[in-house]
Amino acid sequence: MKSYEWIAPCHFGTEAVCKREITDLGYEISQVEDGKVTFKGGLDAMCRANINMRTTERILLKVASFNAYTFDELFEKTKKIPWEELIPRNGRFWVAKANSIKSKLFSPSDIQSIMKKAMVERLKERYKISWFPEDGEDYPLRVTIVKDVVTIGLDTSGESLHKRGYRKWTAKAPITETLASSLIMLTPWNKDRLLIDPFCGSGTIPIEAAMMGARIAPGMNRHFISEKWTSLDTTDLYKKAFEEAKSMVNPDAELAIQGYDIDEECIRMSMANAKLAGVDKMIHFQRRSVEELSSNKKYGFIITNPPYGERLEDKATVQKLYSVMGNVFDNLDTWSKFIITAYEDAERYLGRKAGKNRKLYNGMMKTYFLQYMGPKPPRKNS
């Protein structure tokens, strides 16, 4: 089987878990950069990565990479790419997104239009036609230019992979499903440990954890743009990958996952979303304020996205909430706590410096993933 290079974009700061997912699928990593991981594999890699990966926004087929310092150079080098091997005569193709960092070519709209023209010229010559109906399958491209190096990726996913299909209702300022999964995977939590999210919102963190525990592939119940492509024959490969994913599910997984929120509407949304995800019987949701959080269990995990800044009316409210959190969390002295926040003074009002403070980007927003590791539970006698 022919080998390709695939690009898995991810949230800045989560490259390590994205890389681990790819390695676990059995594919070779070729490059790790800020916000993306590139790997090698056949067309099966595209199918399996789209269905199984939890931490990436999409899977891109790496079409080409080259230096370009002028728009003429961008045009000519784009035109040299054998687009006819990827895009059929009636394919609908366009540059869906272009961004430029520290490069001479910096206008996204100019980059998009010039590359489209170059592609049209190439395909006109190869197909011996002067007009393209573009009434077939979609072939959207994504282009990044970093320090004058152009990288072109063909989007095989379509809708972003964070759209698992279960989150029909959302609370204010939710985190994406991909970021929620990344946060969980950045911790040592496993399905045998108790997990509580005291600010569950629409339930994303508990639901993603339950899907991991039950081995439910995030893309198992959705479709991908590349399933319809005629230029790459993936019908049997996708069928096999879906069957593989379904065979891995453990519907009887016994999990101890709880989601709390002070807002009754959030609890209703969480329960509805969990049902759509097929994990409603694996999570206990309940209306409860953070002040009421307590447990007689030991060695549990808290992974949460509490309100901060723009989600609260004033600074005093934020400070009070984080002080309360700190007091409550201190009572759970054997627990491990993991908090994502954009509030720069979070550690101060939580009352303790985090053992590790990992900077992550939620879109363009810089956030801090504060990690307070508790003691390891004693080993069970065998």
Side-chain angles (χ1 to χ4, degrees), residues 327-340:
N327 292 333
V328 170
F329 291 175
D330 280 348
N331 292 329
L332 300 166
D333 56 350
T334 66
W335 285 51
S336 297
K337 301 104 178 176
F338 299 86
I339 304 155
I340 184 170

Side-chain angles (χ1 to χ4, degrees), residues 4-9 39 42-51 53 56-63 86 138-142 153-161 222-229 231-232 234 238:
Y4 300 84
E5 274 200 294
W6 308 96
I7 301 170
F39 61 103
L43 290 175
D44 63 303
M46 171 186 73
C47 306
R48 295 181 69 230
N50 269 320
I51 293 168
M53 286 192 66
T56 183
E57 296 298 317
R58 58 190 70 249
I59 299 298
L60 306 174
L61 169 57
K62 186 176 178 180
V63 176
L86 295 171
D138 288 343
Y139 293 84
L141 295 155
R142 290 182 169 249
L154 179 61
D155 181 6
T156 74
S157 305
E159 271 201 313
S160 171
L161 295 182
R222 56 159 285 175
H223 290 284
F224 311 96
I225 200 170
S226 49
E227 287 181 73
K228 298 179 180 179
W229 289 353
S231 55
L232 299 173
T234 61
Y238 263 117

Side-chain angles (χ1 to χ4, degrees), residues 143-196:
V143 179
T144 58
I145 307 180
V146 180
K147 295 180 181 177
D148 303 309
V149 177
V150 181
T151 302
I152 304 171
L154 179 61
D155 181 6
T156 74
S157 305
E159 271 201 313
S160 171
L161 295 182
H162 81 266
K163 295 188 176 180
R164 323 285 207 213
Y166 70 76
R167 201 164 74 170
K168 299 294 184 186
W169 297 273
T170 58
K172 192 176 179 183
I175 59 172
T176 65
E177 295 87 330
T178 45
L179 182 54
S181 277
S182 298
L183 298 181
I184 297 164
M185 292 171 67
L186 284 168
T187 79
W189 178 80
N190 64 64
K191 66 182 180 61
D192 299 321
R193 304 282 288 275
L194 172 59
L195 169 61
I196 294 178

